[in-house]
Amino acid sequence: MASAAFIGYNSLVHLAFAVGITLFSFYAGRLLARKINRRSAPFILWGSIALLIAVWIAARYAVGVFPLGISFYTFQALAYLIEIYWEEEPENSLPDFALYMLLFMKFLSGPIERADQLLPQIKKARMFNYEQTVRGLMTLAGGAFMKLMIADRIAPSLDGVFVDVHNATSMQLLQVTMLYPIQLYADFAGYTLMAIGIGQMFGFRLSPNFNRPFTSQSTTELWRRWHMSLSFWVRDYVFTPLSASLRQHGVWGIRLSLLVTFIVIGVWHGAGIAFAAYGLFQGLLVVFEQATARQHEWFQKKAPKIYAPLMTIRTYVLFALSLLFFRLENTREVFYVYSHLFDGFTTGIKELKLGLTDFYWIVFGIAVVLMFAAEWAESQHSLIDRLRRANPLVRWAAYFVFATILFAFGAFGVENFIYTQF
């Protein structure tokens, strides 16, 4: 009921869509389970999938409503029905299933949770846990740091260039192209950490959505680390069935399946050629990496010290270039940026500041370094565990300093996260 109030407070229409899809998925799943060994089962499954996708497309593009979170909870519903068709047991409790679909901390922008991961947690009785709540607050604070100190600090500067690329210099275009992945990552990964942290405070363990993506040495690896709940969803429910159906075509069947899968990822983000091109760009990179795997292995053996940093930089740059399809209004503007990235290097320091003061460029730069340093340290040892074991005086001093920095230098006043539009 609290999650329904959270959604309904924003818009009763959004709540109606969410509740409608929840009820339909619950009862369609029960019907599918009863008919699972009958000839009607595939028709029930595909009819349900078609209806859910039709509602998603209509809500997003036809009626002009676009309920918040619909892409995320529709994908949860699709996965739930497919798993039942693959002979998972349906959920028998409507309140539990409704909470799985509407749970407020992950409702707006995920993670896209699987039923077998979250429903068992919902069914367990919970009591207040001080230690878990503290961990959740610390995780929440980490997400707030990424959002307020990095994403929202640099967003107005990048938006000022992206809104009118024709009046920007080539150095400005290059600058914002290379910085946009950091803004997007800090915004979306920051949201995810906030959702995970609030979930921990309530006793839920939500799925991680990012795993140090900018350390990736290939686009294939990047998509195992970036928006993982979506990546794994399309892997399990699009790529795997499609590649199995095309296995008679060998390697070309796999490559076609990869291209279709990434186009689905692109189209999931929005309609139009630009989003499809974004997915196609990523798919072509993955197919190319697959086709040149032997050359990569040879290069790695011959020059291991050069290979890792070079491929990491290459992966980041290509990802940044592909995100222009994601960020700009149309493909015409994307190709304009591509064709003017290296027109000249005469831009002055004033133009490169993008309207941001020297002081806040320093704040932004230090925050980015701290974010990546914290990610590296977290990959070695849990920072939360280490802080929890520290002397209480040290621990509370760290809390105070962190909160002071966040409130003193964070960029407040931005209302939305980037992925709420999806």
Side-chain angles (χ1 to χ4, degrees), residues 137-152 186 189-191 193-194 402 406 410-412 417:
L137 280 168
M138 294 170 76
T139 303
L140 173 63
F145 178 87
M146 296 173 70
K147 173 66 172 171
L148 297 171
M149 298 287 288
I150 300 175
D152 290 351
Y191 172 93
L193 283 180
M194 291 182 189
F402 184 90
L406 194 63
F412 292 88
F417 291 83

mmCIF file of all heavy atoms in Angstrom, residues 137-152 186 189-191 193-194 402 406 410-412 417:
data_model
loop_
_atom_site.group_PDB
_atom_site.id
_atom_site.type_symbol
_atom_site.label_atom_id
_atom_site.label_comp_id
_atom_site.label_asym_id
_atom_site.label_seq_id
_atom_site.Cartn_x
_atom_site.Cartn_y
_atom_site.Cartn_z
ATOM 1 N N LEU A 137 22.182 2.895 4.756
ATOM 2 C CA LEU A 137 22.398 4.338 4.748
ATOM 3 C C LEU A 137 23.739 4.689 4.115
ATOM 4 O O LEU A 137 23.856 5.674 3.378
ATOM 5 C CB LEU A 137 22.335 4.882 6.176
ATOM 6 C CG LEU A 137 20.930 5.106 6.748
ATOM 7 C CD1 LEU A 137 20.992 5.357 8.243
ATOM 8 C CD2 LEU A 137 20.249 6.274 6.045
ATOM 9 N N MET A 138 24.772 3.885 4.395
ATOM 10 C CA MET A 138 26.087 4.152 3.817
ATOM 11 C C MET A 138 26.079 3.926 2.308
ATOM 12 O O MET A 138 26.689 4.676 1.547
ATOM 13 C CB MET A 138 27.136 3.282 4.515
ATOM 14 C CG MET A 138 27.337 3.653 5.979
ATOM 15 S SD MET A 138 28.342 2.462 6.905
ATOM 16 C CE MET A 138 29.975 2.873 6.300
ATOM 17 N N THR A 139 25.382 2.890 1.868
ATOM 18 C CA THR A 139 25.239 2.648 0.424
ATOM 19 C C THR A 139 24.462 3.778 -0.233
ATOM 20 O O THR A 139 24.824 4.272 -1.316
ATOM 21 C CB THR A 139 24.531 1.301 0.180
ATOM 22 O OG1 THR A 139 25.260 0.256 0.825
ATOM 23 C CG2 THR A 139 24.442 0.995 -1.308
ATOM 24 N N LEU A 140 23.393 4.216 0.422
ATOM 25 C CA LEU A 140 22.597 5.340 -0.057
ATOM 26 C C LEU A 140 23.456 6.599 -0.176
ATOM 27 O O LEU A 140 23.367 7.350 -1.161
ATOM 28 C CB LEU A 140 21.431 5.574 0.902
ATOM 29 C CG LEU A 140 20.545 6.802 0.687
ATOM 30 C CD1 LEU A 140 19.827 6.736 -0.640
ATOM 31 C CD2 LEU A 140 19.547 6.932 1.822
ATOM 32 N N ALA A 141 24.322 6.832 0.807
ATOM 33 C CA ALA A 141 25.186 8.004 0.785
ATOM 34 C C ALA A 141 26.170 7.945 -0.385
ATOM 35 O O ALA A 141 26.459 8.960 -1.022
ATOM 36 C CB ALA A 141 25.949 8.118 2.105
ATOM 37 N N GLY A 142 26.670 6.741 -0.687
ATOM 38 C CA GLY A 142 27.556 6.589 -1.841
ATOM 39 C C GLY A 142 26.856 6.937 -3.139
ATOM 40 O O GLY A 142 27.425 7.599 -4.016
ATOM 41 N N GLY A 143 25.600 6.516 -3.276
ATOM 42 C CA GLY A 143 24.827 6.874 -4.464
ATOM 43 C C GLY A 143 24.557 8.359 -4.549
ATOM 44 O O GLY A 143 24.612 8.959 -5.629
ATOM 45 N N ALA A 144 24.275 8.982 -3.401
ATOM 46 C CA ALA A 144 24.038 10.424 -3.381
ATOM 47 C C ALA A 144 25.291 11.188 -3.784
ATOM 48 O O ALA A 144 25.215 12.210 -4.484
ATOM 49 C CB ALA A 144 23.583 10.855 -1.984
ATOM 50 N N PHE A 145 26.450 10.699 -3.363
ATOM 51 C CA PHE A 145 27.716 11.333 -3.761
ATOM 52 C C PHE A 145 27.870 11.326 -5.270
ATOM 53 O O PHE A 145 28.197 12.343 -5.888
ATOM 54 C CB PHE A 145 28.884 10.591 -3.105
ATOM 55 C CG PHE A 145 30.238 11.136 -3.476
ATOM 56 C CD1 PHE A 145 30.806 12.173 -2.756
ATOM 57 C CD2 PHE A 145 30.953 10.608 -4.548
ATOM 58 C CE1 PHE A 145 32.053 12.689 -3.098
ATOM 59 C CE2 PHE A 145 32.197 11.110 -4.902
ATOM 60 C CZ PHE A 145 32.741 12.159 -4.173
ATOM 61 N N MET A 146 27.618 10.177 -5.906
ATOM 62 C CA MET A 146 27.752 10.069 -7.357
ATOM 63 C C MET A 146 26.769 10.994 -8.072
ATOM 64 O O MET A 146 27.115 11.659 -9.053
ATOM 65 C CB MET A 146 27.552 8.623 -7.795
ATOM 66 C CG MET A 146 28.602 7.662 -7.272
ATOM 67 S SD MET A 146 28.232 5.935 -7.647
ATOM 68 C CE MET A 146 28.495 5.909 -9.416
ATOM 69 N N LYS A 147 25.538 11.037 -7.570
ATOM 70 C CA LYS A 147 24.506 11.850 -8.215
ATOM 71 C C LYS A 147 24.768 13.345 -8.037
ATOM 72 O O LYS A 147 24.739 14.118 -9.006
ATOM 73 C CB LYS A 147 23.143 11.473 -7.622
ATOM 74 C CG LYS A 147 21.971 12.348 -8.065
ATOM 75 C CD LYS A 147 21.659 12.211 -9.536
ATOM 76 C CE LYS A 147 20.363 12.942 -9.877
ATOM 77 N NZ LYS A 147 20.150 13.013 -11.332
ATOM 78 N N LEU A 148 25.041 13.775 -6.791
ATOM 79 C CA LEU A 148 25.101 15.198 -6.481
ATOM 80 C C LEU A 148 26.450 15.828 -6.774
ATOM 81 O O LEU A 148 26.525 16.988 -7.182
ATOM 82 C CB LEU A 148 24.749 15.415 -5.006
ATOM 83 C CG LEU A 148 23.332 14.999 -4.593
ATOM 84 C CD1 LEU A 148 23.179 15.067 -3.077
ATOM 85 C CD2 LEU A 148 22.298 15.879 -5.268
ATOM 86 N N MET A 149 27.514 15.078 -6.568
ATOM 87 C CA MET A 149 28.855 15.647 -6.731
ATOM 88 C C MET A 149 29.386 15.511 -8.153
ATOM 89 O O MET A 149 30.275 16.270 -8.554
ATOM 90 C CB MET A 149 29.829 14.954 -5.763
ATOM 91 C CG MET A 149 29.488 15.130 -4.297
ATOM 92 S SD MET A 149 29.830 16.783 -3.676
ATOM 93 C CE MET A 149 31.625 16.760 -3.649
ATOM 94 N N ILE A 150 28.849 14.542 -8.907
ATOM 95 C CA ILE A 150 29.390 14.295 -10.245
ATOM 96 C C ILE A 150 28.329 14.535 -11.316
ATOM 97 O O ILE A 150 28.447 15.451 -12.133
ATOM 98 C CB ILE A 150 29.954 12.858 -10.340
ATOM 99 C CG1 ILE A 150 31.079 12.659 -9.315
ATOM 100 C CG2 ILE A 150 30.455 12.568 -11.752
ATOM 101 C CD1 ILE A 150 31.617 11.250 -9.232
ATOM 102 N N ALA A 151 27.280 13.707 -11.315
ATOM 103 C CA ALA A 151 26.290 13.778 -12.403
ATOM 104 C C ALA A 151 25.613 15.144 -12.476
ATOM 105 O O ALA A 151 25.569 15.783 -13.531
ATOM 106 C CB ALA A 151 25.250 12.669 -12.223
ATOM 107 N N ASP A 152 25.063 15.606 -11.353
ATOM 108 C CA ASP A 152 24.325 16.867 -11.375
ATOM 109 C C ASP A 152 25.242 18.076 -11.444
ATOM 110 O O ASP A 152 24.810 19.162 -11.865
ATOM 111 C CB ASP A 152 23.422 16.968 -10.142
ATOM 112 C CG ASP A 152 22.261 15.999 -10.213
ATOM 113 O OD1 ASP A 152 22.076 15.381 -11.282
ATOM 114 O OD2 ASP A 152 21.544 15.854 -9.212
ATOM 115 N N ALA A 186 27.445 8.099 -13.359
ATOM 116 C CA ALA A 186 27.262 8.609 -12.005
ATOM 117 C C ALA A 186 25.782 8.798 -11.689
ATOM 118 O O ALA A 186 25.342 8.572 -10.551
ATOM 119 C CB ALA A 186 28.019 9.927 -11.832
ATOM 120 N N ALA A 189 24.158 4.790 -11.957
ATOM 121 C CA ALA A 189 24.723 3.951 -10.901
ATOM 122 C C ALA A 189 24.454 4.568 -9.532
ATOM 123 O O ALA A 189 24.265 3.852 -8.541
ATOM 124 C CB ALA A 189 26.222 3.760 -11.112
ATOM 125 N N GLY A 190 24.431 5.917 -9.481
ATOM 126 C CA GLY A 190 24.073 6.573 -8.230
ATOM 127 C C GLY A 190 22.653 6.236 -7.816
ATOM 128 O O GLY A 190 22.375 5.930 -6.651
ATOM 129 N N TYR A 191 21.716 6.290 -8.779
ATOM 130 C CA TYR A 191 20.331 5.879 -8.489
ATOM 131 C C TYR A 191 20.298 4.442 -7.982
ATOM 132 O O TYR A 191 19.606 4.120 -6.994
ATOM 133 C CB TYR A 191 19.465 5.994 -9.739
ATOM 134 C CG TYR A 191 18.090 5.413 -9.535
ATOM 135 C CD1 TYR A 191 17.037 6.218 -9.126
ATOM 136 C CD2 TYR A 191 17.855 4.051 -9.713
ATOM 137 C CE1 TYR A 191 15.778 5.682 -8.901
ATOM 138 C CE2 TYR A 191 16.602 3.501 -9.480
ATOM 139 C CZ TYR A 191 15.565 4.317 -9.083
ATOM 140 O OH TYR A 191 14.326 3.781 -8.850
ATOM 141 N N LEU A 193 22.580 2.620 -6.512
ATOM 142 C CA LEU A 193 23.088 2.499 -5.144
ATOM 143 C C LEU A 193 22.073 3.014 -4.132
ATOM 144 O O LEU A 193 21.909 2.437 -3.047
ATOM 145 C CB LEU A 193 24.404 3.258 -5.001
ATOM 146 C CG LEU A 193 25.647 2.579 -5.579
ATOM 147 C CD1 LEU A 193 26.877 3.457 -5.358
ATOM 148 C CD2 LEU A 193 25.874 1.209 -4.930
ATOM 149 N N MET A 194 21.378 4.098 -4.480
ATOM 150 C CA MET A 194 20.331 4.596 -3.583
ATOM 151 C C MET A 194 19.230 3.554 -3.412
ATOM 152 O O MET A 194 18.769 3.299 -2.294
ATOM 153 C CB MET A 194 19.745 5.892 -4.133
ATOM 154 C CG MET A 194 20.693 7.078 -4.105
ATOM 155 S SD MET A 194 19.858 8.564 -4.726
ATOM 156 C CE MET A 194 21.247 9.681 -4.824
ATOM 157 N N PHE A 402 31.959 13.436 5.543
ATOM 158 C CA PHE A 402 31.292 13.080 4.293
ATOM 159 C C PHE A 402 30.013 13.896 4.116
ATOM 160 O O PHE A 402 29.761 14.466 3.038
ATOM 161 C CB PHE A 402 30.973 11.587 4.280
ATOM 162 C CG PHE A 402 30.375 11.103 2.986
ATOM 163 C CD1 PHE A 402 31.186 10.644 1.955
ATOM 164 C CD2 PHE A 402 29.001 11.115 2.781
ATOM 165 C CE1 PHE A 402 30.645 10.217 0.758
ATOM 166 C CE2 PHE A 402 28.449 10.685 1.588
ATOM 167 C CZ PHE A 402 29.280 10.235 0.572
ATOM 168 N N LEU A 406 29.205 16.683 1.195
ATOM 169 C CA LEU A 406 28.069 16.460 0.298
ATOM 170 C C LEU A 406 27.141 17.678 0.287
ATOM 171 O O LEU A 406 26.721 18.148 -0.779
ATOM 172 C CB LEU A 406 27.315 15.209 0.735
ATOM 173 C CG LEU A 406 26.308 14.619 -0.257
ATOM 174 C CD1 LEU A 406 27.010 14.159 -1.522
ATOM 175 C CD2 LEU A 406 25.557 13.454 0.386
ATOM 176 N N GLY A 410 27.628 19.562 -3.112
ATOM 177 C CA GLY A 410 26.716 18.864 -4.006
ATOM 178 C C GLY A 410 25.853 19.839 -4.790
ATOM 179 O O GLY A 410 25.577 20.952 -4.345
ATOM 180 N N ALA A 411 25.423 19.412 -5.970
ATOM 181 C CA ALA A 411 24.557 20.238 -6.819
ATOM 182 C C ALA A 411 23.111 19.842 -6.556
ATOM 183 O O ALA A 411 22.627 18.824 -7.058
ATOM 184 C CB ALA A 411 24.913 20.045 -8.290
ATOM 185 N N PHE A 412 22.414 20.627 -5.760
ATOM 186 C CA PHE A 412 21.034 20.321 -5.409
ATOM 187 C C PHE A 412 20.071 21.044 -6.335
ATOM 188 O O PHE A 412 20.420 22.036 -6.959
ATOM 189 C CB PHE A 412 20.771 20.719 -3.951
ATOM 190 C CG PHE A 412 21.518 19.879 -2.956
ATOM 191 C CD1 PHE A 412 22.806 20.220 -2.567
ATOM 192 C CD2 PHE A 412 20.947 18.735 -2.432
ATOM 193 C CE1 PHE A 412 23.501 19.442 -1.661
ATOM 194 C CE2 PHE A 412 21.638 17.950 -1.528
ATOM 195 C CZ PHE A 412 22.920 18.301 -1.142
ATOM 196 N N PHE A 417 16.275 11.717 -12.418
ATOM 197 C CA PHE A 417 17.380 10.870 -12.843
ATOM 198 C C PHE A 417 17.211 10.623 -14.335
ATOM 199 O O PHE A 417 16.092 10.587 -14.850
ATOM 200 C CB PHE A 417 17.372 9.543 -12.099
ATOM 201 C CG PHE A 417 17.713 9.663 -10.628
ATOM 202 C CD1 PHE A 417 16.762 10.004 -9.697
ATOM 203 C CD2 PHE A 417 19.007 9.428 -10.186
ATOM 204 C CE1 PHE A 417 17.065 10.116 -8.356
ATOM 205 C CE2 PHE A 417 19.334 9.542 -8.851
ATOM 206 C CZ PHE A 417 18.354 9.880 -7.937
#
